[in-house]
Amino acid sequence: MTVLTREEIEQGLVENRNSPNGTARNAHAEVLVGAAEAIGDGPLFRTALDNLINAYLWSAESSKMLVPFARLLQEYDKDPGAFDRWDAHSLFWQFKWVATAIGDSPEIPLQSAVGWLDEMERRYRIAGYSERPVRESEMWLADAIGDDDRAERAHRAWLAAERDDMSDCHACELNGQGAYAVLRGDDARALELWQPVLAGERTCAEEPHRLLATSLLPLLRLGRFEEARSHHVRGYRMARGNESLLPSIGKHIEFCALSGNESRGLEILAEHAAHMSPLVNVDDQLAFHGGILVLLRRLTELGHGRSPAVPYDGVPHTVSELYEVLRASSLEISRRFDTRNGTSRVSDRFLARIEREPLVDVLPLGVRSSALPRPAAAVVTATAAGPEELEELVERARQARDQRHPAADALWAEVGVRVDARPQDEVDPLLAADVADQRALTAARGGAENAAELLEAVRDRYLELGRAERAALAQLRLASEAAQSGAEPRRIRELLAAALKAAEALDEDEPLRERRIALAELSSIRVESYLRSLEAGPEHEHLHEPGQDHGHGELAAELAAFVASYEEALPDLAAEAEEMLGRVALSQGDPERALPLLAASAARAVSAGMPWQAVDALVLRAGVLMSVERPEEAQEAARSALDHSAQVTEAETQAVVRLTLADILLRRADGAAEAAEHALTAAHWFDQADLTADGGAQARLVLARAYAREGRHADAAEVLQSTLPDLLEHGEGQAVSVREFLGDLLRQLNDPRAAAEQYLLAAEVAKEWEDPRPQAALAQAAAEQLAAARLDQEATAAYERSLELFRVTGDAPVAEVRILRSLAWLAPRESTGAAAWARARELMDQACAVLEAALAEHAADAGPTGADASPLRAELAQTWLQLAQVLDWRVTAHEQSEDESTSRDGDGSADGSEVDVQALRLEEIDLTARAGELYAELGPNHLGDRLQCVQYAAWTEQEIGREDAGATRLAALIEELRAMPEEVVPDGLLERAQSSLDSLRS
């Protein structure tokens, strides 16, 4: 066996601390402990033990920390003097982790657990620490064993004890205080305690990650659904893939099961399937598997028990099988705790958890989630209904059908179920024909191959029953079905003629005769327009330029005549024709003519007592109003559509209405919150309509933009990432836009690597575009994030590509200059040798040259009344200032190098480079002075920039012993600022300048 050297162990410890948490890190940490012990290096051994304890803590093996902690404690007892102040503090801090680990380990006898708690109290007292952490540990142990009186005493003592260096951070303490309140049934108090953490005012390594998960069920129970939704979306993003947060993952899965989001719960489970196997920390396993069991039970209740689940311990299982396996293993763990504790507290709480019922039918989350498949063995059963009940239902269904009410389909579907459950000889023949009629209509709408056959059968059956008015409608539906299925024009016209003839043949005293005739005429107008365009040939199919008729004039005349004929007798049909007229006007490129037609159609439908019929016209009108930049009227139309959609049952219509309003609201400065609400609901309805990848994706894009406007960047990023694959299928333009948007969100979330990836992917899509500027801007954005991630070589390559593209355009000097400055700052990041500084200087000089050339060109072209050159001059001033800052960096790096060399060698030798510090400092003063003068010429808008330059020059002069000159510069600016009108000087600027002068003189 190879023995590691001290240097190898030290390097290994550095690498281990920076490794991802988990079993691999733990195993490596164990090896390092053994290696340190083998070479007999006491300090290194203690460091390795401390590292192992920390590795275990941040994994699912936290209970394994007991052994290394006990060994580290032995080391302390042997020689406390070998522990410096920090080492001793760390050891006593770890006592709290160990107290938790002991409570989470059922194999440790209760007497031993209590003994460890007593030992912790004794040592804290001797060391002079507060009893606050001891009482908290006592509280949780007492709660676990069911000693509620002791738990309450410990709780009060915990809160009463003073905080000191050994107290948990505020975030962790608030977590515990709120969790205790939840166990006592006070959700509202818990959320009040947690608020500083949930709001981000108190944070730590695992907060608010854990609390966002813990707060989910209390929020649901209190009906605070918007907060629950946000906490899930934001919290799961933080906890995802973190081994030490598996209990929190379980809470997110449980939340999904109890909020109607079972499919989302399944996706989360699949992402963490690798952690399904038994864990070393059985308390974490119980918490993780408990949430999974809630989901599995719910799926079984919904009929998915036989569906495949994720494998467990390498063995495939169905949902029901996995439920039984996890339930058995979890109850066995619970019994081990109960045996140790002498109480059934753990089992009782666990069983209560996994038997929880849903707290809300469906809580839309916004994130995309695949719909659950239909259960493999779903059985539909009909509840027996008495004759009176069925008769009432049929009456309602016929009334809704005659009113063209959106609820008619659902009512007839229910009637059909009830009729099917009865013996056929007990069913009224007319009722049987009505049910068949509804089913034939449904088949025709769905494009079923046998739709025509079903419609013919219905027509004939109605004729046999003497219901010619129903037969005439079935005949008209035959014509519509033929047109929908692409039948020959001659056949379609024959069926239309037959439908009109059947309507006209109805008895003069038939109340529905006029309606049947009007319906046949309107259908003929609509279908004939389609047939004319078909017969005109494909060359006319997509030509709708303004001023070109292509048959629209004839169609418009026919529709106008129809409206005039029936606006009094049949206003609902007239409204339908008027909406068509509006669409014709739009196809002719005349939105101003379309708008009053659409408004009239909606008003006519409402006055006819059919407000649901107004929805489509109002939604269309809202979109047209936005296109002609009349947002207030557009919002009014969209809100009217929403109001009138109350009785609409079609999911797609509900979705479109809400998406339209959300899109309009998002364009308002104050509309983001309401836009998010409507976009969220729209996404839900699109999902219900099986349009997740189409309308659902657009709704989620609007939702993400609304969240971003509200500053909810984590929510926005999670929503956008969930639907990104769908959005990428909607064309190159949108692909670039959404990737750039996602990059912006990830940048806000301080995830520079991921942000850079999105910018680069967007740039890759845009690289074939004729205009290189989008690709150039995206490459620049990627470079900025790569630099933030300390990926300097990749950042340099991206900046250089962006610079190349901007130079191709020949009209982006400001972009060029900013890239050159960024490259200058990157040059000395990895190497501070003379070549790197020379490169930085060269790049800054290039930036100045670009600006000077642009200013010269501007002066030649603009003339006395030309465009303002201020932006270019401001960039030049900024470039001089940044060059001065680079020079300052060079001086600082040189001085540090000299100090290190003196410390190491004692001879004061530097890094070998020749640096004239005095000359560099004088150049800094000159550059900042020039920049300040240029900012002065640019006026009051640059007073802040000017102050920065004067401050820089003043402090640099002090560096070289010219304190009075620096103070004189700053004092002169202060006098100038005081002489300016108060409203010109930015708030606080004069105070900052005076404070700087006071510091300079002190």
Side-chain angles (χ1 to χ4, degrees):
M1 177 180 177
T2 303
V3 177
L4 298 178
T5 66
R6 175 184 175 84
E7 289 73 20
E8 289 172 334
I9 295 170
E10 288 177 336
Q11 181 61 33
L13 288 170
V14 172
E15 294 172 354
N16 191 258
R17 292 186 191 102
N18 295 322
S19 297
N21 299 323
T23 54
R25 180 192 176 193
N26 296 350
H28 185 210
E30 291 164 358
V31 170
L32 294 172
V33 168
E37 186 175 24
I39 66 173
D41 188 319
L44 189 60
F45 176 56
R46 291 191 292 272
T47 300
L49 283 172
D50 181 79
N51 176 71
L52 179 57
I53 294 167
N54 278 274
Y56 283 148
L57 174 70
W58 302 107
S59 73
E61 299 181 330
S62 56
S63 58
K64 292 174 70 173
M65 74 172 67
L66 301 178
V67 172
F69 177 79
R71 298 187 70 185
L72 189 59
L73 193 60
Q74 288 174 356
E75 292 288 312
Y76 179 80
D77 289 339
K78 284 192 299 184
D79 186 8
F83 286 68
D84 63 20
R85 182 174 177 276
W86 169 249
D87 292 336
H89 182 277
S90 176
L91 177 68
F92 280 87
W93 186 272
Q94 290 167 353
F95 242 118
K96 299 182 294 181
W97 302 345
V98 170
T100 300
I102 289 172
D104 293 348
S105 305
E107 65 275 6
I108 297 179
L110 183 59
Q111 185 177 359
S112 297
V114 173
W116 268 98
L117 191 63
D118 292 341
E119 180 68 7
M120 177 183 177
E121 182 175 11
R122 183 184 71 82
R123 288 180 180 267
Y124 271 40
R125 187 184 305 114
I126 293 172
Y129 290 122
S130 168
E131 67 170 349
R132 191 176 179 93
V134 180
R135 300 285 77 85
E136 181 183 9
S137 297
E138 179 189 8
M139 180 191 75
W140 290 121
L141 182 60
D143 177 76
I145 65 177
D147 190 343
D148 292 338
D149 290 339
R150 182 179 180 184
E152 183 57 31
R153 289 195 302 273
H155 177 251
R156 289 196 296 268
W158 170 32
L159 299 183
E162 291 184 4
R163 286 183 55 83
D164 64 3
D165 289 347
M166 204 50 59
S167 299
D168 282 340
C169 74
H170 286 284
C172 288
E173 281 207 340
L174 291 173
N175 183 333
Q177 292 168 24
Y180 185 79
V182 170
L183 290 175
R184 272 40 189 181
D186 194 345
D187 289 337
R189 174 58 179 160
L191 289 164
E192 181 183 346
L193 288 165
W194 290 335
Q195 184 55 32
V197 183
L198 296 172
E201 298 168 10
R202 300 285 188 180
T203 62
C204 70
E206 289 194 337
E207 296 297 356
H209 313 48
R210 294 183 301 165
L211 263 185
L212 287 167
T214 304
S215 67
L216 294 172
L217 293 194
L219 287 168
L220 281 183
R221 286 192 290 259
L222 292 173
R224 292 162 63 172
F225 298 139
E226 176 59 33
E227 293 171 83
R229 176 191 298 117
S230 178
H231 287 194
H232 167 67
V233 174
R234 184 160 57 104
Y236 179 62
R237 181 180 183 83
M238 291 180 167
R240 179 194 285 129
N242 193 327
E243 188 177 284
S244 68
L245 292 176
L246 288 176
S248 296
I249 299 298
K251 291 173 183 175
H252 282 286
I253 292 173
E254 178 181 10
F255 164 79
C256 291
L258 301 180
S259 63
N261 291 286
E262 296 82 6
S263 61
R264 167 78 167 171
L266 272 178
E267 290 169 359
I268 295 174
L269 175 57
E271 289 184 9
H272 295 84
H275 298 292
M276 283 283 292
S277 299
L279 304 175
V280 172
N281 187 331
V282 293
D283 189 67
D284 278 5
Q285 180 179 332
L286 199 63
F288 180 42
H289 287 184
I292 296 170
L293 283 166
V294 178
L295 173 67
L296 296 175
R297 181 181 62 79
R298 181 66 184 146
L299 288 169
T300 302
E301 292 172 351
L302 294 173
H304 298 281
R306 296 183 183 179
S307 300
V310 297
Y312 177 70
D313 226 4
V315 179
H317 292 286
T318 64
V319 167
S320 295
E321 290 169 348
L322 183 59
Y323 176 83
E324 294 301 330
V325 170
L326 295 187
R327 187 176 189 276
S329 63
S330 298
L331 288 177
E332 193 276 329
I333 293 172
S334 299
R335 282 191 290 270
R336 285 164 56 192
F337 274 109
D338 290 344
T339 300
R340 193 274 300 269
N341 297 338
T343 176
S344 63
R345 169 63 60 88
V346 174
S347 292
D348 291 345
R349 282 181 174 170
F350 183 78
L351 288 170
R353 178 187 186 185
I354 66 174
E355 291 169 3
R356 283 174 177 150
E357 294 297 324
L359 295 166
V360 60
D361 290 338
V362 178
L363 176 63
L365 299 177
V367 291
R368 189 199 198 285
S369 184
S370 300
L372 288 173
R374 292 187 179 276
V379 178
V380 179
T381 58
T383 305
E388 297 82 5
E389 183 180 343
L390 178 59
E391 183 178 340
E392 180 183 347
L393 180 62
V394 171
E395 180 61 29
R396 288 170 52 211
R398 284 174 173 159
Q399 185 177 15
R401 180 186 66 188
D402 294 343
Q403 291 178 339
R404 305 168 74 193
H405 195 285
D409 290 346
L411 288 168
W412 278 111
E414 178 64 19
V415 169
V417 171
R418 303 291 180 87
V419 166
D420 289 345
R422 290 173 174 269
Q424 290 303 303
D425 57 357
E426 295 182 11
V427 178
D428 174 65
L430 179 57
L431 176 57
D434 284 344
V435 170
D437 181 34
Q438 184 65 28
R439 289 173 175 169
L441 177 59
T442 302
R445 288 171 177 166
E449 292 184 2
N450 66 337
E453 179 182 343
L454 294 173
L455 288 167
E456 287 175 352
V458 166
R459 177 198 60 194
D460 295 343
R461 184 61 178 147
Y462 275 135
L463 287 173
E464 291 173 7
L465 293 170
R467 301 302 298 266
E469 83 287 356
R470 298 297 307 166
L473 185 57
Q475 183 66 51
L476 180 59
R477 287 172 178 165
L478 269 169
S480 298
E481 189 281 331
Q484 180 179 322
S485 60
E488 289 291 327
R490 185 170 61 83
R491 174 60 178 161
I492 298 171
R493 288 186 172 108
E494 287 175 355
L495 290 169
L496 285 170
L500 180 58
K501 183 177 180 181
E504 291 174 339
L506 293 172
D507 291 343
E508 292 289 341
D509 57 354
E510 167 57 53
L512 292 174
R513 182 176 185 273
E514 186 177 17
R515 174 171 288 277
R516 293 290 181 265
I517 292 172
L519 274 173
E521 290 178 356
L522 185 57
S523 296
S524 180
I525 292 171
R526 181 187 292 110
V527 174
E528 273 295 339
S529 173
Y530 160 72
L531 293 177
R532 285 196 297 266
S533 66
L534 196 66
E535 291 169 340
E539 65 273 13
H540 299 294
E541 205 167 303
H542 302 294
L543 297 176
H544 301 299
E545 292 86 351
Q548 296 191 23
D549 187 83
H550 304 301
H552 292 312
E554 184 178 354
L555 174 59
E558 292 170 345
L559 289 169
F562 182 91
V563 172
S565 298
Y566 294 106
E567 58 184 341
E568 297 296 333
L570 299 169
D572 59 315
L573 295 183
E576 190 175 331
E578 211 154 23
E579 181 186 337
M580 290 174 62
L581 268 172
R583 293 180 184 275
V584 169
L586 288 176
S587 69
Q588 294 176 309
D590 192 350
E592 294 298 339
R593 182 159 59 89
L595 287 170
L597 290 167
L598 294 170
S601 171
R604 203 183 298 278
V606 172
S607 66
M610 299 181 180
W612 55 85
Q613 189 180 318
V615 172
D616 286 348
L618 288 168
V619 167
L620 182 57
R621 187 169 190 272
V624 175
L625 286 165
M626 286 302 295
S627 72
V628 296
E629 299 183 359
R630 290 157 64 179
E632 295 299 327
E633 294 174 77
Q635 184 183 161
E636 181 183 354
R639 289 195 186 281
S640 294
L642 184 62
D643 292 341
H644 295 321
S645 70
Q647 299 181 66
V648 174
T649 58
E650 186 183 15
E652 183 178 0
T653 301
Q654 292 285 355
V656 169
V657 171
R658 285 162 173 78
L659 179 56
T660 300
L661 181 54
D663 194 36
I664 293 169
L665 288 167
L666 191 57
R667 305 185 195 196
R668 292 175 55 101
D670 60 348
E674 189 182 356
E677 177 186 339
H678 292 300
L680 179 71
T681 309
H684 168 72
W685 282 112
F686 277 123
D687 291 347
Q688 297 300 304
D690 291 328
L691 294 170
T692 299
D694 299 308
Q698 298 305 318
R700 289 182 170 89
L701 177 57
V702 172
L703 176 61
R705 294 197 184 282
Y707 281 159
R709 281 265 301 277
E710 291 186 278
R712 296 168 58 178
H713 299 111
D715 293 27
E718 194 69 13
V719 168
L720 189 60
Q721 283 180 307
S722 75
T723 197
L724 186 62
D726 298 326
L727 292 169
L728 295 179
E729 297 298 318
H730 294 181
E732 285 188 356
Q734 179 154 284
V736 169
S737 173
V738 296
R739 284 204 184 277
E740 182 180 14
F741 178 32
L742 181 55
D744 293 344
L745 293 171
L746 293 169
R747 175 175 52 80
Q748 292 284 348
L749 295 171
N750 296 316
D751 192 349
R753 283 175 177 258
E757 179 185 11
Q758 293 303 322
Y759 291 137
L760 290 172
L761 289 169
E764 183 67 18
V765 175
K767 72 178 183 180
E768 301 300 331
W769 293 0
E770 183 177 348
D771 184 355
R773 281 172 291 192
Q775 185 190 359
L778 289 163
Q780 183 179 5
E784 291 169 356
Q785 293 308 296
L786 290 166
R790 308 298 297 187
L791 297 170
D792 294 344
Q793 291 184 354
E794 294 86 345
T796 298
Y799 272 130
E800 289 176 346
R801 176 58 177 157
S802 178
L803 183 62
E804 176 187 353
L805 290 166
F806 274 125
R807 283 176 170 168
V808 168
T809 69
D811 61 356
V814 171
E816 285 186 55
V817 165
R818 291 178 178 177
I819 293 169
L820 287 166
R821 292 199 306 242
S822 296
L823 284 168
W825 284 105
L826 278 175
R829 279 242 290 231
E830 291 190 4
S831 169
T832 55
W837 294 116
R839 175 63 176 159
R841 179 67 177 252
E842 177 192 356
L843 288 163
M844 284 292 187
D845 288 344
Q846 285 185 37
C848 291
V850 168
L851 286 167
E852 288 164 357
L855 283 166
E857 182 179 352
H858 180 277
D861 294 344
T865 60
D868 185 11
S870 296
L872 292 172
R873 299 176 72 203
E875 288 295 330
L876 182 58
Q878 182 62 211
T879 304
W880 288 337
L881 174 59
Q882 289 198 26
L883 175 54
Q885 291 168 332
V886 168
L887 297 179
D888 178 69
W889 183 11
R890 185 179 187 187
V891 170
T892 302
H894 172 72
E895 292 172 344
Q896 289 175 346
S897 175
E898 282 195 321
D899 291 342
E900 290 170 5
S901 180
T902 301
S903 174
R904 183 174 61 252
D905 304 325
D907 61 2
S909 62
D911 60 2
S913 60
E914 293 295 329
V915 177
D916 187 339
V917 172
Q918 182 75 4
L920 290 174
R921 290 301 192 196
L922 289 172
E923 187 175 2
E924 288 179 54
I925 294 169
D926 178 63
L927 286 166
T928 50
R930 286 162 58 196
E933 290 167 3
L934 186 49
Y935 279 132
E937 294 173 12
L938 292 170
N941 288 339
H942 290 276
L943 283 174
D945 298 315
R946 185 180 172 196
L947 173 60
Q948 182 185 7
C949 293
V950 172
Q951 285 175 318
Y952 195 113
W955 283 105
T956 306
E957 289 192 294
Q958 187 191 54
E959 286 277 340
I960 60 174
R962 291 162 35 175
E963 294 89 348
D964 291 343
T968 300
R969 285 179 185 273
L970 201 48
L973 177 60
I974 290 172
E975 289 304 313
E976 188 178 339
L977 292 173
R978 285 176 175 157
M980 291 181 180
E982 186 176 338
E983 64 273 11
V984 171
V985 181
D987 290 342
L989 190 72
L990 186 57
E991 291 78 1
R992 279 166 41 207
Q994 186 62 54
S995 175
S996 183
L997 178 60
D998 294 343
S999 298
L1000 198 64
R1001 286 172 169 169
S1002 62

